[in-house]
Structure formats: C-alpha cells, structure tokens
Amino acid sequence: MIENHGYKLEHCRKNCKKAAKDWSELNLDLESTLNELELKPTLEEKFDKVHYHHIPKVVIAGCPNGCSQPQIRDIGIVGYLTPKLTDNPCVECLLCVDACLENALAWANNEIVLESSKCVSCGECIRVCPTERIGAAESGWTIHLGGRLGRHPKFAKVVGKEQTEEAVIKKIKEVLIDYIHNGKPEERLSQFLERYTDQ
C-alpha cells in the first residue's frame, strides 16, 4: 500500500465490543479515494528522496479510546456515539454509572444524571443500559489533523465532526487535494496541516 500508492491507511481491530461506530465501509471507501488521488507522484515531486516519515498516515478509530492512535497521525478519524436520557424507566441497576470511565453519569436524587461536559461519546453507557433509559443522541466521526511523532511531536487538532461517511471522505479528499496543490517542497503533510488548521 505504501510503495504503490504513497500513503498508509490503518484502523483499529475488527469486531471490537467497544466500537462506537463500524468503520469497515468507511475504510474501503477511503482506501478507494486515496488510491484515486495518486499521492506517490506528489511525494516524489515534493521530496528529493521519499522516506517513511514523508508518507501521509491516515487512521480510523472506532471509538474515542483511539487504539489505532489517531491523535499522532496526519489524519485521524474517530467514531463517536453521544448518549441522551430518554423517557424509558430506569431500573436503578447503575450499570451505566459503573461503565462510565469519565464520571459523566451519577445517581442523584433517585435518578440518573448525565453531565455532558465530561462525556467523551464512547457509547459504553448506551450499550450496557438494559431499558434504553440512556439512548443515542448523535453518532458520527470526529476529524483530527496534523498529528506526528519524531523530533517535534505534536497531537492532531480536532477540526470538526461529520455524521456520515460520505462527508468524512469529502473532507479528507479536500485536505489532500489542497496538500497536493499547495504543499511546499520538503513539507510533510503534518507540517502543511499546521498551516491548514491555523487558517
């Protein structure tokens, strides 16, 4: 994939019980889009010699746990599933409270309380609730740009959310086309994205 097309596309493990979103279709469509962009000639034009660290890294994570490390890749795509309280009855099992690693859920005054500011939208509380007292408010993908390791490591910046795979691919394609046309000589994608996200 790297040698033939000038990019590296990775994802987290398949059939993970923690996944907030199924990434399988997105991965296939994104691979097709990246192949169409033909990034290898662009890299060969921008760099005297193309090394591994010059190759754009794109990664998909099914949930905010981010096992595939989207925060340190040029482009990271992370699934999210945001909870909401419904009118369904609560049986006071407190499975949701126990499942929430962010302490965004609590039992107070004989009811479940959701503190949205603490929630990372992993969807775990939705999965464990036996009565659907906690349901899904919104699901989609967050897009992270500009992460890298090396001599000057940097976390990727979250630049927005998209609710459909089509919108994610459109955004990624726009970013990469911009890099193809406007990236400077010897400028890695992550370096270009520093300028891109500061606009």
Side-chain angles (χ1 to χ4, degrees):
M1 189 179 297
I2 295 171
E3 294 78 11
N4 293 336
H5 300 292
Y7 68 88
K8 185 172 184 180
L9 176 62
E10 297 177 293
H11 52 72
C12 55
R13 64 189 176 95
K14 295 181 179 180
N15 304 316
C16 177
K17 294 180 180 179
K18 299 289 186 181
K21 294 282 290 182
D22 179 3
W23 48 259
S24 54
E25 288 297 322
L26 174 59
N27 183 65
L28 289 173
D29 293 342
L30 189 55
E31 182 175 13
S32 177
T33 297
L34 291 170
N35 288 340
E36 290 171 5
L37 290 174
E38 297 184 345
L39 290 167
K40 187 177 180 182
T42 294
L43 298 177
E44 291 171 342
E45 183 179 320
K46 290 187 187 300
F47 299 99
D48 287 339
K49 185 175 182 181
V50 180
H51 296 287
Y52 178 79
H53 58 273
H54 296 139
I55 296 167
K57 319 298 191 293
V58 183
V59 69
I60 307 172
C63 77
N65 286 333
C67 295
S68 51
Q69 303 177 327
Q71 300 88 350
I72 57 172
R73 301 294 190 258
D74 296 292
I75 299 173
I77 305 160
V78 181
Y80 70 89
L81 182 59
T82 304
K84 67 176 180 180
L85 298 178
T86 71
D87 294 330
N88 287 8
C90 176
V91 295
E92 302 180 23
C93 65
L94 303 188
L95 289 173
C96 59
V97 175
D98 293 338
C100 183
L101 300 178
E102 308 301 322
N103 296 316
L105 288 160
W107 180 257
N109 300 318
N110 294 316
E111 64 180 357
I112 289 292
V113 177
L114 171 61
E115 193 171 342
S116 298
S117 62
K118 293 182 177 180
C119 179
V120 297
S121 300
C122 68
E124 187 64 19
C125 59
I126 299 170
R127 284 188 287 276
V128 301
C129 181
T131 66
E132 297 185 1
R133 169 72 170 123
I134 301 178
E138 180 186 332
S139 69
W141 307 90
T142 56
I143 297 177
H144 305 237
L145 298 179
R148 64 170 177 262
L149 293 176
R151 293 168 65 96
H152 301 284
K154 182 181 178 184
F155 275 125
K157 183 184 293 185
V158 178
V159 297
K161 291 182 175 182
E162 300 292 350
Q163 293 188 345
T164 67
E165 285 80 359
E166 292 80 8
V168 170
I169 290 174
K170 180 181 178 183
K171 177 65 176 178
I172 302 308
K173 188 174 182 179
E174 288 174 357
V175 168
L176 290 172
I177 288 175
D178 199 353
Y179 173 65
I180 289 170
H181 294 300
N182 299 311
K184 297 176 181 179
E186 302 296 320
E187 184 176 46
R188 293 167 56 181
L189 177 57
S190 66
Q191 295 166 331
F192 169 78
L193 290 172
E194 283 187 64
R195 298 192 288 116
Y196 182 91
T197 57
D198 288 339
Q199 293 177 0

